[in-house]
Amino acid sequence: MRLGSAWDFLMKPVRWLLLAALNGEAVHRRIWILANKVPPDRTVTDHILTKVGNIVQAKYRIATEQSAQFLLEHAPDAHAFDSPQELLARCVEIAREREGAFLEFGVYTGATINQIAGEVPDRIVHGFDSFQGLPENWRDCPEGAFSTDGKLPRVRSNVQLHVGLFQDTLPAFMKKEHAPMTIALLHIDCDLYSSTKTVFDHLGEYIGKGTVVVFDEFFNYPNFQDHEFRAWFEYIEQTNHSFEYIGFANELTALAVKIT
């Protein structure tokens, strides 16, 4: 190696450091890319997080392990369905053998209420939603997430929508239209503890033997114990109902039970 080339080679790191002091983050990033082989389509921060471990992925992995342990302890024979849609279809099949109302809390775009209504065309399916999004923060979703800006979804002819917050629409529904009643299917897509508790507070006395309850966000996400999961077990503790597990959506968050 010629003297000039050797000198240039030795001085290259020094020049990088001097340029870093003058030019800041851009040069620091260049040094990181060269030293750690950061792919050009990733940021330095992304690369560092990957190298030390992805915390968000770890949180979900722990939640999945907790959910699996819950099933091993409490529902070892519960069937694992490939999707929430398959689980819901099975639940509707069970519930339609019983007299009673079909209710959904959390309609959003109407996908699941239309599925239910399509499988029980001789029944009225009642859907409750404000269509203004979440009333408070949930998981990584801020207040207002899942809003349709008040726009109602297109639904089947045997669907009736009740627009507003649950605490506002349920008393009127129970008083003026359908009390007393029994419940055949209760589809809980409330996400939040507070919203799910509101449903059980108003409808708890109408849940009885044979009622099928489907939770869309029961477990398998970080802090699942604080929301639909919590509201359900508080209700069970208050009422002493016995129940059996119908199944759960493998790899997702849905779970269903039947009062026995």
Side-chain angles (χ1 to χ4, degrees):
M1 180 182 291
R2 291 180 300 175
L3 181 60
S5 298
W7 177 254
D8 288 342
F9 177 79
L10 292 172
M11 288 301 294
K12 188 176 292 185
V14 176
R15 288 201 299 272
W16 282 352
L17 292 173
L18 289 173
L19 286 170
L22 294 173
N23 297 319
E25 170 62 20
V27 177
H28 279 295
R29 186 179 189 282
R30 175 65 176 164
I31 294 171
W32 257 98
I33 289 172
L34 291 172
N36 293 281
K37 299 181 181 178
V38 180
D41 60 339
R42 304 191 67 191
T43 67
V44 172
T45 302
D46 288 340
H47 188 65
I48 294 172
L49 284 175
T50 301
K51 291 176 77 67
V52 301
N54 190 307
I55 294 173
V56 173
Q57 288 181 0
K59 288 167 63 177
Y60 276 87
R61 184 173 64 251
I62 292 169
T64 297
E65 291 170 355
Q66 291 171 336
S67 301
Q69 187 62 40
F70 169 83
L71 290 171
L72 285 171
E73 292 180 6
H74 301 283
D77 299 322
H79 183 73
F81 290 82
D82 290 334
S83 69
Q85 292 79 15
E86 290 185 14
L87 172 63
L88 183 59
R90 176 57 181 150
C91 290
V92 173
E93 183 180 24
I94 295 169
R96 67 186 176 196
E97 300 298 321
R98 183 178 193 267
E99 292 297 322
F102 281 69
L103 310 174
E104 177 174 270
F105 291 86
V107 176
Y108 192 34
T109 61
T112 52
I113 202 165
N114 281 323
Q115 178 186 343
I116 296 168
E119 295 171 11
V120 286
D122 57 330
R123 304 280 191 101
I124 299 298
V125 183
H126 296 274
F128 297 77
D129 203 306
S130 70
F131 300 100
Q132 299 294 337
L134 294 172
E136 59 189 78
N137 296 343
W138 172 72
R139 294 173 63 176
D140 296 327
C141 305
E143 179 180 346
F146 310 117
S147 172
T148 66
D149 295 322
K151 183 178 179 180
L152 305 187
R154 296 181 65 180
V155 294
R156 292 178 179 269
S157 59
N158 59 324
V159 170
Q160 289 185 11
L161 297 178
H162 304 268
V163 181
L165 296 173
F166 301 156
Q167 60 263 35
D168 297 330
T169 55
L170 269 172
F173 173 78
M174 299 304 301
K175 183 177 180 180
K176 296 180 181 178
E177 299 183 38
H178 299 277
M181 71 172 188
T182 57
I183 298 175
L185 180 80
L186 184 61
H187 183 212
I188 300 288
D189 194 359
C190 305
D191 304 331
L192 294 160
Y193 165 77
S194 58
S195 299
T196 309
K197 183 179 186 301
T198 296
V199 173
F200 287 130
D201 285 348
H202 285 88
L203 297 179
E205 63 182 297
Y206 304 108
I207 296 172
K209 186 175 181 179
T211 298
V212 174
V213 185
V214 187
F215 296 93
D216 199 65
E217 304 286 345
F218 188 79
F219 62 177
N220 201 22
Y221 65 90
N223 301 317
F224 66 84
Q225 300 92 335
D226 295 335
H227 293 289
E228 291 179 2
F229 182 100
R230 174 186 170 191
W232 170 245
F233 283 110
E234 285 183 352
Y235 170 72
I236 290 300
E237 185 176 357
Q238 293 166 2
T239 61
N240 238 4
H241 279 320
S242 59
F243 64 94
E244 63 185 18
Y245 291 93
I246 296 172
F248 60 96
N250 195 29
E251 298 186 9
L252 291 168
T253 57
L255 177 141
V257 301
K258 179 183 175 183
I259 303 296
T260 55

